[in-house]
PDB file of all heavy atoms in Angstrom:
ATOM      1  N   ASP A   1     -10.760   2.572 -12.909  1.00 96.00           N
ATOM      2  CA  ASP A   1     -10.925   4.056 -12.854  1.00 96.00           C
ATOM      3  C   ASP A   1     -11.964   4.244 -11.763  1.00 96.00           C
ATOM      4  O   ASP A   1     -13.074   3.917 -11.781  1.00 96.00           O
ATOM      5  CB  ASP A   1     -11.403   4.645 -14.134  1.00 96.00           C
ATOM      6  CG  ASP A   1     -10.213   4.609 -15.325  1.00 96.00           C
ATOM      7  OD1 ASP A   1      -9.321   5.224 -14.977  1.00 96.00           O
ATOM      8  OD2 ASP A   1     -10.477   3.963 -16.267  1.00 96.00           O
ATOM      9  N   LYS A   2     -11.525   4.889 -10.669  1.00 93.00           N
ATOM     10  CA  LYS A   2     -12.332   5.087  -9.531  1.00 93.00           C
ATOM     11  C   LYS A   2     -11.815   6.347  -8.668  1.00 93.00           C
ATOM     12  O   LYS A   2     -10.680   6.416  -8.503  1.00 93.00           O
ATOM     13  CB  LYS A   2     -12.341   3.884  -8.646  1.00 93.00           C
ATOM     14  CG  LYS A   2     -13.174   3.885  -7.309  1.00 93.00           C
ATOM     15  CD  LYS A   2     -12.931   2.536  -6.708  1.00 93.00           C
ATOM     16  CE  LYS A   2     -13.690   2.516  -5.337  1.00 93.00           C
ATOM     17  NZ  LYS A   2     -13.506   1.285  -4.631  1.00 93.00           N
ATOM     18  N   PRO A   3     -12.684   7.310  -8.332  1.00 90.00           N
ATOM     19  CA  PRO A   3     -12.305   8.440  -7.594  1.00 90.00           C
ATOM     20  C   PRO A   3     -11.783   8.099  -6.277  1.00 90.00           C
ATOM     21  O   PRO A   3     -12.223   7.052  -5.615  1.00 90.00           O
ATOM     22  CB  PRO A   3     -13.522   9.339  -7.594  1.00 90.00           C
ATOM     23  CG  PRO A   3     -14.649   8.455  -7.897  1.00 90.00           C
ATOM     24  CD  PRO A   3     -14.155   7.276  -8.691  1.00 90.00           C
ATOM     25  N   HIS A   4     -10.928   8.952  -5.685  1.00 84.00           N
ATOM     26  CA  HIS A   4     -10.437   8.774  -4.379  1.00 84.00           C
ATOM     27  C   HIS A   4     -11.617   8.875  -3.391  1.00 84.00           C
ATOM     28  O   HIS A   4     -12.529   9.736  -3.562  1.00 84.00           O
ATOM     29  CB  HIS A   4      -9.330   9.852  -4.064  1.00 84.00           C
ATOM     30  CG  HIS A   4      -8.784   9.654  -2.796  1.00 84.00           C
ATOM     31  ND1 HIS A   4      -9.301   9.975  -1.572  1.00 84.00           N
ATOM     32  CD2 HIS A   4      -7.491   9.096  -2.489  1.00 84.00           C
ATOM     33  CE1 HIS A   4      -8.475   9.721  -0.542  1.00 84.00           C
ATOM     34  NE2 HIS A   4      -7.354   9.215  -1.064  1.00 84.00           N
ATOM     35  N   PRO A   5     -11.692   7.914  -2.401  1.00 81.00           N
ATOM     36  CA  PRO A   5     -12.873   7.946  -1.588  1.00 81.00           C
ATOM     37  C   PRO A   5     -13.134   9.271  -0.728  1.00 81.00           C
ATOM     38  O   PRO A   5     -14.218   9.526  -0.304  1.00 81.00           O
ATOM     39  CB  PRO A   5     -12.607   6.739  -0.676  1.00 81.00           C
ATOM     40  CG  PRO A   5     -11.131   6.454  -0.658  1.00 81.00           C
ATOM     41  CD  PRO A   5     -10.703   6.943  -2.066  1.00 81.00           C
ATOM     42  N   GLU A   6     -12.016   9.888  -0.439  1.00 81.00           N
ATOM     43  CA  GLU A   6     -12.130  11.100   0.421  1.00 81.00           C
ATOM     44  C   GLU A   6     -12.141  12.386  -0.378  1.00 81.00           C
ATOM     45  O   GLU A   6     -13.029  13.362  -0.135  1.00 81.00           O
ATOM     46  CB  GLU A   6     -11.094  11.195   1.544  1.00 81.00           C
ATOM     47  CG  GLU A   6     -11.153  10.028   2.496  1.00 81.00           C
ATOM     48  CD  GLU A   6      -9.945   9.913   3.411  1.00 81.00           C
ATOM     49  OE1 GLU A   6      -9.145  10.909   3.347  1.00 81.00           O
ATOM     50  OE2 GLU A   6      -9.860   8.949   4.088  1.00 81.00           O
ATOM     51  N   THR A   7     -11.311  12.494  -1.357  1.00 86.00           N
ATOM     52  CA  THR A   7     -11.155  13.761  -2.121  1.00 86.00           C
ATOM     53  C   THR A   7     -12.023  13.805  -3.430  1.00 86.00           C
ATOM     54  O   THR A   7     -12.327  14.831  -3.942  1.00 86.00           O
ATOM     55  CB  THR A   7      -9.697  13.919  -2.596  1.00 86.00           C
ATOM     56  OG1 THR A   7      -9.293  13.007  -3.571  1.00 86.00           O
ATOM     57  CG2 THR A   7      -8.763  14.017  -1.314  1.00 86.00           C
ATOM     58  N   GLY A   8     -12.404  12.636  -3.871  1.00 86.00           N
ATOM     59  CA  GLY A   8     -13.151  12.602  -5.169  1.00 86.00           C
ATOM     60  C   GLY A   8     -12.367  12.780  -6.370  1.00 86.00           C
ATOM     61  O   GLY A   8     -12.863  12.732  -7.608  1.00 86.00           O
ATOM     62  N   GLN A   9     -11.042  13.021  -6.137  1.00 90.00           N
ATOM     63  CA  GLN A   9     -10.076  13.164  -7.327  1.00 90.00           C
ATOM     64  C   GLN A   9     -10.052  12.027  -8.239  1.00 90.00           C
ATOM     65  O   GLN A   9      -9.927  10.842  -7.689  1.00 90.00           O
ATOM     66  CB  GLN A   9      -8.756  13.627  -6.861  1.00 90.00           C
ATOM     67  CG  GLN A   9      -8.766  14.944  -6.207  1.00 90.00           C
ATOM     68  CD  GLN A   9      -9.159  16.096  -7.148  1.00 90.00           C
ATOM     69  OE1 GLN A   9      -8.637  16.161  -8.270  1.00 90.00           O
ATOM     70  NE2 GLN A   9     -10.134  16.846  -6.693  1.00 90.00           N
ATOM     71  N   PRO A  10      -9.979  12.073  -9.546  1.00 93.00           N
ATOM     72  CA  PRO A  10      -9.966  10.818 -10.402  1.00 93.00           C
ATOM     73  C   PRO A  10      -8.515  10.152 -10.230  1.00 93.00           C
ATOM     74  O   PRO A  10      -7.545  10.737  -9.947  1.00 93.00           O
ATOM     75  CB  PRO A  10      -9.979  11.450 -11.751  1.00 93.00           C
ATOM     76  CG  PRO A  10      -9.657  12.845 -11.753  1.00 93.00           C
ATOM     77  CD  PRO A  10      -9.932  13.331 -10.301  1.00 93.00           C
ATOM     78  N   ARG A  11      -8.591   8.789 -10.219  1.00 94.00           N
ATOM     79  CA  ARG A  11      -7.394   7.977 -10.301  1.00 94.00           C
ATOM     80  C   ARG A  11      -7.705   6.788 -10.958  1.00 94.00           C
ATOM     81  O   ARG A  11      -8.762   6.285 -11.016  1.00 94.00           O
ATOM     82  CB  ARG A  11      -7.041   7.670  -8.784  1.00 94.00           C
ATOM     83  CG  ARG A  11      -8.061   6.956  -8.017  1.00 94.00           C
ATOM     84  CD  ARG A  11      -7.833   6.756  -6.513  1.00 94.00           C
ATOM     85  NE  ARG A  11      -8.858   6.041  -5.974  1.00 94.00           N
ATOM     86  CZ  ARG A  11      -8.840   5.351  -4.842  1.00 94.00           C
ATOM     87  NH1 ARG A  11      -7.727   5.420  -4.145  1.00 94.00           N
ATOM     88  NH2 ARG A  11      -9.828   4.622  -4.377  1.00 94.00           N
ATOM     89  N   ARG A  12      -6.607   6.360 -11.523  1.00 97.00           N
ATOM     90  CA  ARG A  12      -6.557   5.125 -12.372  1.00 97.00           C
ATOM     91  C   ARG A  12      -5.529   4.065 -11.571  1.00 97.00           C
ATOM     92  O   ARG A  12      -4.347   4.416 -11.593  1.00 97.00           O
ATOM     93  CB  ARG A  12      -6.201   5.382 -13.804  1.00 97.00           C
ATOM     94  CG  ARG A  12      -6.022   3.995 -14.580  1.00 97.00           C
ATOM     95  CD  ARG A  12      -5.894   4.271 -15.983  1.00 97.00           C
ATOM     96  NE  ARG A  12      -7.179   4.784 -16.541  1.00 97.00           N
ATOM     97  CZ  ARG A  12      -7.396   5.614 -17.570  1.00 97.00           C
ATOM     98  NH1 ARG A  12      -6.258   6.044 -18.159  1.00 97.00           N
ATOM     99  NH2 ARG A  12      -8.514   6.027 -17.911  1.00 97.00           N
ATOM    100  N   THR A  13      -6.070   2.985 -11.132  1.00 97.00           N
ATOM    101  CA  THR A  13      -5.211   1.999 -10.453  1.00 97.00           C
ATOM    102  C   THR A  13      -5.042   0.778 -11.204  1.00 97.00           C
ATOM    103  O   THR A  13      -6.040   0.061 -11.645  1.00 97.00           O
ATOM    104  CB  THR A  13      -5.819   1.625  -9.044  1.00 97.00           C
ATOM    105  OG1 THR A  13      -5.977   2.854  -8.395  1.00 97.00           O
ATOM    106  CG2 THR A  13      -4.890   0.795  -8.212  1.00 97.00           C
ATOM    107  N   THR A  14      -3.844   0.297 -11.526  1.00 98.00           N
ATOM    108  CA  THR A  14      -3.440  -0.955 -12.067  1.00 98.00           C
ATOM    109  C   THR A  14      -3.218  -1.878 -10.966  1.00 98.00           C
ATOM    110  O   THR A  14      -2.325  -1.724 -10.134  1.00 98.00           O
ATOM    111  CB  THR A  14      -2.320  -0.852 -13.009  1.00 98.00           C
ATOM    112  OG1 THR A  14      -2.631   0.141 -13.991  1.00 98.00           O
ATOM    113  CG2 THR A  14      -1.943  -2.139 -13.659  1.00 98.00           C
ATOM    114  N   PHE A  15      -3.986  -3.067 -10.942  1.00 98.00           N
ATOM    115  CA  PHE A  15      -3.824  -4.037  -9.839  1.00 98.00           C
ATOM    116  C   PHE A  15      -2.879  -5.190 -10.442  1.00 98.00           C
ATOM    117  O   PHE A  15      -3.102  -5.652 -11.572  1.00 98.00           O
ATOM    118  CB  PHE A  15      -5.164  -4.577  -9.530  1.00 98.00           C
ATOM    119  CG  PHE A  15      -5.966  -3.779  -8.647  1.00 98.00           C
ATOM    120  CD1 PHE A  15      -6.598  -2.694  -9.145  1.00 98.00           C
ATOM    121  CD2 PHE A  15      -6.086  -4.012  -7.295  1.00 98.00           C
ATOM    122  CE1 PHE A  15      -7.477  -1.865  -8.430  1.00 98.00           C
ATOM    123  CE2 PHE A  15      -6.804  -3.111  -6.629  1.00 98.00           C
ATOM    124  CZ  PHE A  15      -7.510  -2.069  -6.960  1.00 98.00           C
ATOM    125  N   LEU A  16      -1.835  -5.444  -9.714  1.00 98.00           N
ATOM    126  CA  LEU A  16      -0.890  -6.473 -10.174  1.00 98.00           C
ATOM    127  C   LEU A  16      -0.757  -7.688  -9.160  1.00 98.00           C
ATOM    128  O   LEU A  16      -0.983  -7.423  -7.910  1.00 98.00           O
ATOM    129  CB  LEU A  16       0.470  -5.876 -10.318  1.00 98.00           C
ATOM    130  CG  LEU A  16       0.690  -4.873 -11.413  1.00 98.00           C
ATOM    131  CD1 LEU A  16       0.612  -3.552 -10.787  1.00 98.00           C
ATOM    132  CD2 LEU A  16       1.912  -5.202 -12.165  1.00 98.00           C
ATOM    133  N   LEU A  17      -0.582  -8.841  -9.707  1.00 98.00           N
ATOM    134  CA  LEU A  17      -0.422 -10.050  -8.788  1.00 98.00           C
ATOM    135  C   LEU A  17       1.059 -10.202  -8.592  1.00 98.00           C
ATOM    136  O   LEU A  17       1.896 -10.255  -9.647  1.00 98.00           O
ATOM    137  CB  LEU A  17      -0.963 -11.238  -9.519  1.00 98.00           C
ATOM    138  CG  LEU A  17      -0.586 -12.625  -8.863  1.00 98.00           C
ATOM    139  CD1 LEU A  17      -1.257 -12.692  -7.422  1.00 98.00           C
ATOM    140  CD2 LEU A  17      -1.209 -13.750  -9.783  1.00 98.00           C
ATOM    141  N   LEU A  18       1.494 -10.352  -7.350  1.00 98.00           N
ATOM    142  CA  LEU A  18       2.900 -10.596  -6.976  1.00 98.00           C
ATOM    143  C   LEU A  18       2.984 -11.906  -6.226  1.00 98.00           C
ATOM    144  O   LEU A  18       1.905 -12.288  -5.627  1.00 98.00           O
ATOM    145  CB  LEU A  18       3.487  -9.428  -6.185  1.00 98.00           C
ATOM    146  CG  LEU A  18       3.833  -8.174  -6.906  1.00 98.00           C
ATOM    147  CD1 LEU A  18       2.768  -7.342  -7.427  1.00 98.00           C
ATOM    148  CD2 LEU A  18       4.753  -7.305  -6.026  1.00 98.00           C
ATOM    149  N   ARG A  19       4.025 -12.460  -6.142  1.00 98.00           N
ATOM    150  CA  ARG A  19       4.341 -13.702  -5.318  1.00 98.00           C
ATOM    151  C   ARG A  19       5.365 -13.415  -4.331  1.00 98.00           C
ATOM    152  O   ARG A  19       6.365 -12.852  -4.596  1.00 98.00           O
ATOM    153  CB  ARG A  19       4.775 -14.854  -6.266  1.00 98.00           C
ATOM    154  CG  ARG A  19       3.970 -15.184  -7.478  1.00 98.00           C
ATOM    155  CD  ARG A  19       2.760 -16.087  -7.055  1.00 98.00           C
ATOM    156  NE  ARG A  19       1.949 -16.384  -8.178  1.00 98.00           N
ATOM    157  CZ  ARG A  19       0.715 -16.749  -8.184  1.00 98.00           C
ATOM    158  NH1 ARG A  19       0.051 -16.802  -7.006  1.00 98.00           N
ATOM    159  NH2 ARG A  19       0.098 -17.117  -9.246  1.00 98.00           N
ATOM    160  N   ALA A  20       5.137 -13.964  -3.091  1.00 97.00           N
ATOM    161  CA  ALA A  20       6.073 -13.908  -2.107  1.00 97.00           C
ATOM    162  C   ALA A  20       6.506 -15.286  -1.708  1.00 97.00           C
ATOM    163  O   ALA A  20       5.779 -16.185  -1.904  1.00 97.00           O
ATOM    164  CB  ALA A  20       5.344 -13.330  -0.773  1.00 97.00           C
ATOM    165  N   PRO A  21       7.793 -15.438  -1.302  1.00 95.00           N
ATOM    166  CA  PRO A  21       8.169 -16.777  -0.951  1.00 95.00           C
ATOM    167  C   PRO A  21       7.384 -17.443   0.241  1.00 95.00           C
ATOM    168  O   PRO A  21       6.866 -16.726   1.099  1.00 95.00           O
ATOM    169  CB  PRO A  21       9.644 -16.660  -0.554  1.00 95.00           C
ATOM    170  CG  PRO A  21       9.859 -15.118  -0.345  1.00 95.00           C
ATOM    171  CD  PRO A  21       8.746 -14.366  -0.995  1.00 95.00           C
ATOM    172  N   ALA A  22       7.198 -18.673   0.239  1.00 94.00           N
ATOM    173  CA  ALA A  22       6.447 -19.445   1.325  1.00 94.00           C
ATOM    174  C   ALA A  22       7.107 -19.070   2.711  1.00 94.00           C
ATOM    175  O   ALA A  22       6.325 -19.251   3.673  1.00 94.00           O
ATOM    176  CB  ALA A  22       6.458 -20.908   0.984  1.00 94.00           C
ATOM    177  N   ASP A  23       8.456 -18.925   2.835  1.00 93.00           N
ATOM    178  CA  ASP A  23       9.016 -18.584   4.089  1.00 93.00           C
ATOM    179  C   ASP A  23       8.943 -17.136   4.558  1.00 93.00           C
ATOM    180  O   ASP A  23       9.555 -16.800   5.590  1.00 93.00           O
ATOM    181  CB  ASP A  23      10.409 -19.125   4.119  1.00 93.00           C
ATOM    182  CG  ASP A  23      11.348 -18.483   3.180  1.00 93.00           C
ATOM    183  OD1 ASP A  23      10.911 -17.578   2.439  1.00 93.00           O
ATOM    184  OD2 ASP A  23      12.529 -18.715   3.220  1.00 93.00           O
ATOM    185  N   ALA A  24       8.125 -16.366   3.819  1.00 94.00           N
ATOM    186  CA  ALA A  24       7.989 -14.963   4.338  1.00 94.00           C
ATOM    187  C   ALA A  24       7.348 -14.934   5.710  1.00 94.00           C
ATOM    188  O   ALA A  24       6.589 -15.924   5.993  1.00 94.00           O
ATOM    189  CB  ALA A  24       7.066 -14.242   3.352  1.00 94.00           C
ATOM    190  N   PRO A  25       7.674 -13.989   6.560  1.00 95.00           N
ATOM    191  CA  PRO A  25       7.116 -14.034   7.870  1.00 95.00           C
ATOM    192  C   PRO A  25       5.536 -14.035   7.970  1.00 95.00           C
ATOM    193  O   PRO A  25       4.901 -13.451   6.937  1.00 95.00           O
ATOM    194  CB  PRO A  25       7.716 -12.747   8.563  1.00 95.00           C
ATOM    195  CG  PRO A  25       8.567 -12.144   7.598  1.00 95.00           C
ATOM    196  CD  PRO A  25       8.504 -12.882   6.359  1.00 95.00           C
ATOM    197  N   ASP A  26       4.989 -14.521   8.942  1.00 95.00           N
ATOM    198  CA  ASP A  26       3.508 -14.521   9.024  1.00 95.00           C
ATOM    199  C   ASP A  26       3.040 -13.038   9.288  1.00 95.00           C
ATOM    200  O   ASP A  26       1.943 -12.601   8.824  1.00 95.00           O
ATOM    201  CB  ASP A  26       3.050 -15.455  10.132  1.00 95.00           C
ATOM    202  CG  ASP A  26       3.242 -16.913   9.831  1.00 95.00           C
ATOM    203  OD1 ASP A  26       3.276 -17.207   8.704  1.00 95.00           O
ATOM    204  OD2 ASP A  26       3.455 -17.654  10.844  1.00 95.00           O
ATOM    205  N   ALA A  27       3.692 -12.317  10.210  1.00 97.00           N
ATOM    206  CA  ALA A  27       3.277 -11.024  10.656  1.00 97.00           C
ATOM    207  C   ALA A  27       4.465 -10.222  11.117  1.00 97.00           C
ATOM    208  O   ALA A  27       5.380 -10.870  11.696  1.00 97.00           O
ATOM    209  CB  ALA A  27       2.178 -11.127  11.753  1.00 97.00           C
ATOM    210  N   TRP A  28       4.482  -8.888  10.884  1.00 97.00           N
ATOM    211  CA  TRP A  28       5.513  -8.094  11.506  1.00 97.00           C
ATOM    212  C   TRP A  28       5.076  -6.588  11.406  1.00 97.00           C
ATOM    213  O   TRP A  28       4.000  -6.282  10.720  1.00 97.00           O
ATOM    214  CB  TRP A  28       6.734  -8.214  10.562  1.00 97.00           C
ATOM    215  CG  TRP A  28       6.626  -7.795   9.142  1.00 97.00           C
ATOM    216  CD1 TRP A  28       6.976  -6.568   8.637  1.00 97.00           C
ATOM    217  CD2 TRP A  28       5.983  -8.434   8.062  1.00 97.00           C
ATOM    218  NE1 TRP A  28       6.719  -6.473   7.172  1.00 97.00           N
ATOM    219  CE2 TRP A  28       6.170  -7.648   6.877  1.00 97.00           C
ATOM    220  CE3 TRP A  28       5.536  -9.705   7.893  1.00 97.00           C
ATOM    221  CZ2 TRP A  28       5.665  -8.132   5.665  1.00 97.00           C
ATOM    222  CZ3 TRP A  28       5.061 -10.142   6.621  1.00 97.00           C
ATOM    223  CH2 TRP A  28       5.186  -9.299   5.558  1.00 97.00           C
ATOM    224  N   ARG A  29       5.832  -5.744  12.040  1.00 97.00           N
ATOM    225  CA  ARG A  29       5.601  -4.215  11.984  1.00 97.00           C
ATOM    226  C   ARG A  29       6.636  -3.611  11.161  1.00 97.00           C
ATOM    227  O   ARG A  29       7.859  -3.967  11.240  1.00 97.00           O
ATOM    228  CB  ARG A  29       5.570  -3.689  13.314  1.00 97.00           C
ATOM    229  CG  ARG A  29       4.291  -4.020  14.175  1.00 97.00           C
ATOM    230  CD  ARG A  29       4.225  -3.272  15.337  1.00 97.00           C
ATOM    231  NE  ARG A  29       2.947  -3.752  16.047  1.00 97.00           N
ATOM    232  CZ  ARG A  29       2.095  -2.874  16.492  1.00 97.00           C
ATOM    233  NH1 ARG A  29       2.291  -1.562  16.445  1.00 97.00           N
ATOM    234  NH2 ARG A  29       0.937  -3.300  17.083  1.00 97.00           N
ATOM    235  N   HIS A  30       6.276  -2.690  10.273  1.00 95.00           N
ATOM    236  CA  HIS A  30       7.173  -1.983   9.443  1.00 95.00           C
ATOM    237  C   HIS A  30       7.066  -0.480   9.625  1.00 95.00           C
ATOM    238  O   HIS A  30       5.930   0.006   9.536  1.00 95.00           O
ATOM    239  CB  HIS A  30       6.942  -2.325   7.998  1.00 95.00           C
ATOM    240  CG  HIS A  30       7.816  -1.607   7.066  1.00 95.00           C
ATOM    241  ND1 HIS A  30       9.227  -1.916   6.939  1.00 95.00           N
ATOM    242  CD2 HIS A  30       7.568  -0.585   6.173  1.00 95.00           C
ATOM    243  CE1 HIS A  30       9.705  -1.090   6.018  1.00 95.00           C
ATOM    244  NE2 HIS A  30       8.740  -0.258   5.566  1.00 95.00           N
ATOM    245  N   HIS A  31       8.191   0.197   9.978  1.00 92.00           N
ATOM    246  CA  HIS A  31       8.135   1.569  10.161  1.00 92.00           C
ATOM    247  C   HIS A  31       8.616   2.183   8.831  1.00 92.00           C
ATOM    248  O   HIS A  31       9.730   1.891   8.283  1.00 92.00           O
ATOM    249  CB  HIS A  31       9.081   2.023  11.238  1.00 92.00           C
ATOM    250  CG  HIS A  31       9.188   3.467  11.549  1.00 92.00           C
ATOM    251  ND1 HIS A  31       8.103   4.059  12.252  1.00 92.00           N
ATOM    252  CD2 HIS A  31      10.045   4.446  11.175  1.00 92.00           C
ATOM    253  CE1 HIS A  31       8.375   5.364  12.224  1.00 92.00           C
ATOM    254  NE2 HIS A  31       9.506   5.538  11.754  1.00 92.00           N
ATOM    255  N   VAL A  32       7.778   3.045   8.197  1.00 88.00           N
ATOM    256  CA  VAL A  32       8.061   3.579   6.917  1.00 88.00           C
ATOM    257  C   VAL A  32       9.128   4.795   7.009  1.00 88.00           C
ATOM    258  O   VAL A  32       8.907   5.751   7.767  1.00 88.00           O
ATOM    259  CB  VAL A  32       6.802   4.097   6.180  1.00 88.00           C
ATOM    260  CG1 VAL A  32       7.132   4.713   4.773  1.00 88.00           C
ATOM    261  CG2 VAL A  32       5.734   2.968   6.127  1.00 88.00           C
ATOM    262  N   ALA A  33      10.266   4.564   6.275  1.00 84.00           N
ATOM    263  CA  ALA A  33      11.285   5.688   6.272  1.00 84.00           C
ATOM    264  C   ALA A  33      11.218   6.422   4.956  1.00 84.00           C
ATOM    265  O   ALA A  33      10.226   6.140   4.126  1.00 84.00           O
ATOM    266  CB  ALA A  33      12.657   4.852   6.430  1.00 84.00           C
ATOM    267  N   GLY A  34      12.081   7.346   4.780  1.00 73.00           N
ATOM    268  CA  GLY A  34      12.113   8.185   3.521  1.00 73.00           C
ATOM    269  C   GLY A  34      11.330   9.450   3.639  1.00 73.00           C
ATOM    270  O   GLY A  34      10.975   9.842   4.684  1.00 73.00           O
ATOM    271  N   ALA A  35      10.995   9.856   2.388  1.00 70.00           N
ATOM    272  CA  ALA A  35      10.269  11.266   2.263  1.00 70.00           C
ATOM    273  C   ALA A  35       8.998  11.120   1.728  1.00 70.00           C
ATOM    274  O   ALA A  35       8.334  12.148   1.446  1.00 70.00           O
ATOM    275  CB  ALA A  35      11.170  12.205   1.375  1.00 70.00           C
ATOM    276  N   ASP A  36       8.568   9.969   1.516  1.00 74.00           N
ATOM    277  CA  ASP A  36       7.132   9.773   0.977  1.00 74.00           C
ATOM    278  C   ASP A  36       6.068  10.138   1.949  1.00 74.00           C
ATOM    279  O   ASP A  36       6.356  10.441   3.153  1.00 74.00           O
ATOM    280  CB  ASP A  36       6.939   8.227   0.694  1.00 74.00           C
ATOM    281  CG  ASP A  36       5.648   7.936  -0.110  1.00 74.00           C
ATOM    282  OD1 ASP A  36       5.246   8.794  -0.938  1.00 74.00           O
ATOM    283  OD2 ASP A  36       5.090   6.875   0.093  1.00 74.00           O
ATOM    284  N   THR A  37       4.841  10.298   1.533  1.00 77.00           N
ATOM    285  CA  THR A  37       3.704  10.773   2.422  1.00 77.00           C
ATOM    286  C   THR A  37       3.486   9.812   3.580  1.00 77.00           C
ATOM    287  O   THR A  37       2.889  10.141   4.565  1.00 77.00           O
ATOM    288  CB  THR A  37       2.393  10.963   1.589  1.00 77.00           C
ATOM    289  OG1 THR A  37       2.141   9.682   0.918  1.00 77.00           O
ATOM    290  CG2 THR A  37       2.511  12.067   0.585  1.00 77.00           C
ATOM    291  N   ASP A  38       3.836   8.436   3.430  1.00 79.00           N
ATOM    292  CA  ASP A  38       3.746   7.446   4.455  1.00 79.00           C
ATOM    293  C   ASP A  38       4.890   7.516   5.435  1.00 79.00           C
ATOM    294  O   ASP A  38       4.938   6.820   6.460  1.00 79.00           O
ATOM    295  CB  ASP A  38       3.645   6.095   3.883  1.00 79.00           C
ATOM    296  CG  ASP A  38       2.311   5.843   3.176  1.00 79.00           C
ATOM    297  OD1 ASP A  38       1.426   6.660   3.458  1.00 79.00           O
ATOM    298  OD2 ASP A  38       2.328   4.975   2.327  1.00 79.00           O
ATOM    299  N   ALA A  39       5.904   8.361   5.133  1.00 78.00           N
ATOM    300  CA  ALA A  39       7.151   8.357   6.123  1.00 78.00           C
ATOM    301  C   ALA A  39       6.706   8.604   7.464  1.00 78.00           C
ATOM    302  O   ALA A  39       5.951   9.599   7.744  1.00 78.00           O
ATOM    303  CB  ALA A  39       8.091   9.411   5.559  1.00 78.00           C
ATOM    304  N   GLY A  40       7.295   7.869   8.408  1.00 84.00           N
ATOM    305  CA  GLY A  40       7.109   8.019   9.860  1.00 84.00           C
ATOM    306  C   GLY A  40       5.954   7.118  10.357  1.00 84.00           C
ATOM    307  O   GLY A  40       5.815   7.004  11.498  1.00 84.00           O
ATOM    308  N   LEU A  41       5.100   6.630   9.393  1.00 87.00           N
ATOM    309  CA  LEU A  41       4.004   5.715   9.880  1.00 87.00           C
ATOM    310  C   LEU A  41       4.543   4.256  10.147  1.00 87.00           C
ATOM    311  O   LEU A  41       5.616   3.898   9.625  1.00 87.00           O
ATOM    312  CB  LEU A  41       2.955   5.657   8.709  1.00 87.00           C
ATOM    313  CG  LEU A  41       2.296   6.931   8.388  1.00 87.00           C
ATOM    314  CD1 LEU A  41       1.326   6.775   7.202  1.00 87.00           C
ATOM    315  CD2 LEU A  41       1.507   7.483   9.616  1.00 87.00           C
ATOM    316  N   THR A  42       3.779   3.585  10.968  1.00 94.00           N
ATOM    317  CA  THR A  42       4.099   2.214  11.212  1.00 94.00           C
ATOM    318  C   THR A  42       2.923   1.364  10.720  1.00 94.00           C
ATOM    319  O   THR A  42       1.737   1.722  11.201  1.00 94.00           O
ATOM    320  CB  THR A  42       4.334   1.945  12.773  1.00 94.00           C
ATOM    321  OG1 THR A  42       5.441   2.707  13.060  1.00 94.00           O
ATOM    322  CG2 THR A  42       4.638   0.545  13.052  1.00 94.00           C
ATOM    323  N   PHE A  43       3.257   0.285  10.036  1.00 95.00           N
ATOM    324  CA  PHE A  43       2.143  -0.575   9.437  1.00 95.00           C
ATOM    325  C   PHE A  43       2.315  -1.967  10.096  1.00 95.00           C
ATOM    326  O   PHE A  43       3.450  -2.436  10.207  1.00 95.00           O
ATOM    327  CB  PHE A  43       2.280  -0.698   7.979  1.00 95.00           C
ATOM    328  CG  PHE A  43       2.030   0.607   7.218  1.00 95.00           C
ATOM    329  CD1 PHE A  43       2.739   0.947   6.105  1.00 95.00           C
ATOM    330  CD2 PHE A  43       1.063   1.519   7.636  1.00 95.00           C
ATOM    331  CE1 PHE A  43       2.445   2.100   5.384  1.00 95.00           C
ATOM    332  CE2 PHE A  43       0.775   2.638   6.888  1.00 95.00           C
ATOM    333  CZ  PHE A  43       1.539   3.005   5.828  1.00 95.00           C
ATOM    334  N   ALA A  44       1.153  -2.430  10.562  1.00 97.00           N
ATOM    335  CA  ALA A  44       1.192  -3.938  11.074  1.00 97.00           C
ATOM    336  C   ALA A  44       0.866  -4.760   9.873  1.00 97.00           C
ATOM    337  O   ALA A  44      -0.295  -4.725   9.317  1.00 97.00           O
ATOM    338  CB  ALA A  44       0.067  -4.105  12.030  1.00 97.00           C
TER     339      ALA A  44
END
């Protein structure tokens, strides 16, 4: 339970452990599609 660093709004975050296969790429760029707030952004 920790407020958002910019807005101060309350938020509750559940942290999960996930596994990726050993042959997943080392690095790539991903362009976010869809209608989410991240749509149109590119992530390295």
